């Protein structure tokens, strides 16, 4: 088996982990959730969820990963003899594999939209924007087509393959060090553009002036679910990355940085999207279609007087989405790859190839389930919807529950304490609150999310 390499620099480590967190969850899902739940009030509740639930859970995964210094399936085996708890890591790997299967499909759409934005000259784009229904037809045709989305799935899986195959330091870390700064620059440029749209005032008011009259129990649950997905919690991704952390990495500090970057990107995505949406009078709760159906023409109309600017903004926006998606897919890809390479003593290249091929197969099935295979149903849902539902509403939540319970109650307390304080380098009393949250608060809230996920609440 090849020698295990860690992240080479602190900066690379933080950027790679933040790259896992920043993805479709921030740019696609967050604005939709905020739009559906009243804007600013949702954001405040979301940030509270990140602080009280997200950060303890990130730290919990980091603790397991770094203490065991191996892939997530092996990690629990190294830390406990109890065969039930040993399965926690395996569940994470299965969840990751399934999430990848549908994530790669949506990633493929971002690639198709990026290429479309790039290839459509400003004059034609302006003409298209005047045709009502053009983008919803485009989206429906794209998603139900038998060939194009599958080709995009293959292209995306291969992009992730060629990063993963180069290993943690030369692949993931180097790639994140280039892509993440690029992503921030794009975000800042797009935010600045958004201040100049006609709907800027209205959009920013919606985003930053809280209206708590709209808040319900459902808002809280949506915020919690969003925090889970967006922070990549519950499936061993963070645990796997933490197994490449060095001994002097401050786990709490890294968790705060990753959660901070992730939340900032989500809010910046809101700053980009809402002013544009208000500029053309679309309801901010236009649903999951916001990014793929509403936005393409929104950019055209919002910057209508300057066709080249409209062109540049849409190309940049879809490139941003593509980058964010790729860094997340890479982290998903790494989880089963590390598992195969270490547990089955395979070469990294072989392990990566097996994962890539399996992702292409699952992704293709998912993609076709929106078109030619629409009649194939699992539990009454299409394959795409079924994977999305089972992984986000059930497996991630169960995984998160097991992780918090394991770290809070089952793990050897000395190991937990050593990891939290970096072997006594940080005072224990400043970190004890993490354990209190992991033992009492987080399991209770996860139980609520689980009941709501399966439709009981
Ligand atoms: N956090 C990613 C996003 O926001 C999705 C993801 C979930 C990535 C789980 C890895 C693991 O898009």
């Amino acid at each position: 088996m090849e020698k295990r390499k860690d992240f080479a620099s602190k900066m690379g480590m933080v950027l790679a982990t933040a790259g896992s967190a920043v993805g479709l969850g921030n740019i696609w899902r967050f604005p939709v959730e905020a739009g559906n739940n009243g804007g600013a009030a949702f954001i405040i509740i979301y940030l509270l969820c990140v602080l009280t639930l997200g950060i303890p859970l990130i730290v919990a995964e980091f603790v397991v990963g770094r203490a065991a210094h191996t892939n997530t399936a092996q990690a629990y085996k190294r830390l406990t003899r109890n065969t039930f708890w040993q399965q926690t890591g395996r569940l994470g790997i299965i969840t990751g594999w399934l999430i990848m299967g549908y994530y790669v499909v949506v990633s493929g759409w971002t690639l198709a939209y990026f290429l479309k934005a790039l290839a459509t000259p400003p004059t034609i784009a302006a003409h298209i924007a005047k045709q009502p229904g053009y983008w919803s037809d485009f989206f429906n045709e794209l998603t139900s087509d038998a060939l194009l989305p599958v080709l995009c799935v293959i292209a995306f899986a291969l992009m992730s393959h060629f990063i993963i195959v180069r290993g943690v330091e030369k692949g993931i870390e180097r790639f994140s060090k280039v892509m993440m700064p690029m992503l921030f620059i794009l975000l800042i440029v797009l935010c600045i553009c958004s201040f100049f749209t006609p709907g800027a005032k209205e959009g920013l008011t919606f985003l930053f002036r809280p209206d708590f009259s709209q808040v319900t129990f459902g808002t809280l649950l949506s915020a919690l679910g969003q925090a889970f997905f967006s922070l990549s919690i519950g499936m061993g991704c963070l645990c796997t990355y933490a197994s490449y952390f060095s001994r002097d990495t401050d786990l709490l500090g890294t968790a705060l940085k990753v959660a901070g970057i992730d939340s900032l990107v989500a809010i910046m995505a809101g700053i980009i999207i809402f002013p544009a949406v208000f500029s053309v009078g679309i309801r901010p709760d236009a649903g999951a279609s916001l990014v793929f159906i509403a936005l393409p023409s929104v950019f055209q109309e919002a910057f209508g007087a300057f066709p080249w600017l409209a062109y540049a903004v849409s190309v940049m926006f879809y490139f941003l989405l593509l980058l964010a998606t790729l860094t997340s897919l890479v982290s998903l890809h790494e989880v089963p790859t590390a598992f195969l390479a270490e547990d089955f003593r395979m070469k990294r290249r072989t392990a990566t190839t097996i994962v890539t091929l399996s992702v292409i197969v699952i992704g293709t099935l998912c993609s076709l389930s929106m078109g030619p295979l629409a009649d194939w149903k699992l539990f009454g849902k299409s394959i795409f919807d079924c994977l999305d539902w089972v992984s986000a509403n059930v497996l991630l939540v169960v995984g998160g529950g097991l992780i918090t319970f394991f770290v809070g109650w089952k793990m050897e307390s000395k190991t937990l304490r050593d990891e939290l304080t970096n072997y006594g380098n940080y005072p224990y009393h400043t970190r004890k609150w993490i354990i209190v949250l992991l033992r009492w608060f987080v399991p209770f809230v996860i139980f609520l999310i689980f009941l709501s996920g399966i439709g009981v609440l």
Side-chain angles (χ1 to χ4, degrees):
M1 202 169 68
E2 288 138 280
K3 193 176 170 308
R4 208 167 201 281
K5 286 226 174 75
D6 289 347
F7 286 117
S9 69
K10 286 229 166 68
M11 174 78 145
M13 177 268 296
V14 171
L15 289 179
T17 316
S20 164
V22 172
L24 288 171
N26 308 60
I27 303 170
W28 179 41
R29 213 167 176 273
F30 181 82
V32 173
E33 291 289 328
N36 279 325
N37 291 290
F42 175 84
I43 297 180
I44 293 174
I45 295 173
Y46 174 77
L47 293 177
L48 284 176
C49 291
V50 169
L51 271 180
T52 55
L53 183 108
I55 290 176
L57 270 168
I58 299 179
V59 174
E61 287 205 36
F62 281 176
V63 164
V64 173
R66 192 179 59 177
H69 222 68
T70 182
N71 71 81
T72 185
Q74 274 297 324
Y76 291 84
K77 287 197 182 148
R78 280 203 189 157
L79 298 178
T80 174
R81 293 225 184 97
N82 181 314
T83 44
F84 172 79
W85 292 104
Q86 288 184 347
Q87 302 313 316
T88 310
R90 282 184 189 266
L91 178 74
I93 289 175
I94 297 172
T95 312
W97 228 310
L98 298 181
I99 294 188
M100 230 182 330
Y102 73 84
Y103 204 88
V104 74
V105 176
V106 186
S107 309
W109 300 342
T110 67
L111 179 61
Y113 268 74
F114 167 65
L115 295 175
K116 170 92 178 160
L118 198 65
T120 311
T123 42
I124 300 190
H127 176 67
I128 286 175
K130 295 203 183 78
Q131 299 173 23
Y134 177 89
W135 285 107
S136 62
D137 291 347
F138 179 81
F139 181 70
N140 290 336
E141 272 164 34
L142 170 72
T143 52
S144 59
D145 191 64
L147 189 62
L148 187 60
V150 174
L151 291 179
C152 291
V153 161
I154 297 174
F156 231 95
L158 288 179
M159 282 198 258
S160 154
H161 175 94
F162 288 115
I163 297 164
I164 288 290
V165 84
R166 306 193 58 180
V168 173
E169 188 196 329
K170 293 206 178 108
I172 302 177
E173 185 172 349
R174 270 199 202 161
F175 163 75
S176 309
K177 274 177 152 170
V178 177
M179 294 303 156
M180 292 304 283
M182 215 145 107
L183 188 133
F184 283 118
I185 294 172
L186 281 177
L187 271 170
I188 293 170
V189 172
L190 285 167
C191 278
I192 294 173
C193 288
S194 131
F195 291 134
F196 295 99
T197 53
K201 195 161 167 252
E202 220 182 328
L204 295 177
T205 309
F206 177 75
L207 199 60
F208 292 116
R209 188 177 295 159
D211 169 12
F212 283 99
S213 66
Q214 301 227 14
V215 172
T216 60
F217 184 59
T219 317
L220 180 65
L221 291 176
S222 306
L224 287 169
Q226 172 62 20
F228 247 77
F229 186 81
S230 187
L231 295 170
S232 311
I233 293 168
M235 48 136 305
C237 212
L238 300 173
C239 173
T240 306
Y241 270 25
S243 72
Y244 305 121
F245 287 2
S246 66
R247 279 216 158 189
D248 59 356
T249 299
D250 172 15
L251 298 185
L252 176 61
T254 309
L256 288 169
K257 281 183 200 136
V258 169
I261 293 176
D262 190 68
S263 308
L264 187 69
V265 172
I267 293 174
M268 286 172 93
I271 295 180
I272 295 168
I273 290 174
F274 288 116
V277 160
F278 276 98
S279 301
V280 294
I282 294 177
R283 283 172 55 81
D285 55 358
S289 56
L290 200 60
V291 162
F292 291 115
I293 296 178
L295 274 187
S297 40
V298 162
F299 288 142
Q300 285 304 322
E301 287 182 44
F303 301 103
F306 310 98
W308 276 101
L309 182 63
Y311 173 83
V313 169
S314 24
V315 171
M316 276 193 289
F317 180 80
Y318 288 105
F319 188 58
L320 170 80
L321 202 55
L322 198 147
L323 284 186
T325 315
L326 188 55
T327 50
S328 295
L329 192 67
V330 163
S331 73
L332 283 161
H333 206 145
E334 176 62 20
V335 177
T337 303
F339 162 66
L340 290 181
E342 290 173 356
D343 275 31
F344 294 88
R345 298 180 175 275
M346 284 180 188
K347 284 213 161 85
R348 191 169 171 93
R349 179 170 294 280
T350 318
T352 315
T353 309
I354 295 179
V355 178
T356 307
L357 290 176
S358 65
V359 170
I360 292 179
V361 171
I362 309 178
T364 302
L365 285 174
C366 265
S367 178
L368 294 179
S369 78
M370 308 189 80
L373 301 185
D375 294 337
W376 288 22
K377 301 275 182 216
L378 284 172
F379 307 109
K381 294 177 192 289
S382 70
I383 304 175
F384 182 97
D385 289 340
C386 185
L387 286 192
D388 179 23
W389 187 84
V390 170
S391 45
N393 292 358
V394 184
L395 295 176
L396 274 188
V397 183
V398 172
L402 291 175
I403 293 165
T404 183
F405 209 83
F406 177 75
V407 175
W409 295 99
K410 296 285 164 191
M411 193 175 167
E412 205 188 56
S413 49
K414 178 171 177 325
T415 315
L416 175 57
R417 201 178 165 131
D418 284 348
E419 287 300 328
L420 268 181
T421 61
N422 272 14
Y423 299 84
N425 276 331
Y426 300 105
Y428 181 58
H429 66 267
T430 59
R431 276 137 208 257
K432 212 174 157 199
W433 59 276
I434 293 279
I435 301 182
V436 175
L437 287 175
L438 280 174
R439 284 196 166 167
W440 303 105
F441 179 69
V442 183
F444 170 72
V445 178
I446 287 184
F447 188 60
L448 286 186
I449 311 179
F450 179 68
L451 291 184
S452 110
I454 58 172
V456 175
L457 268 184

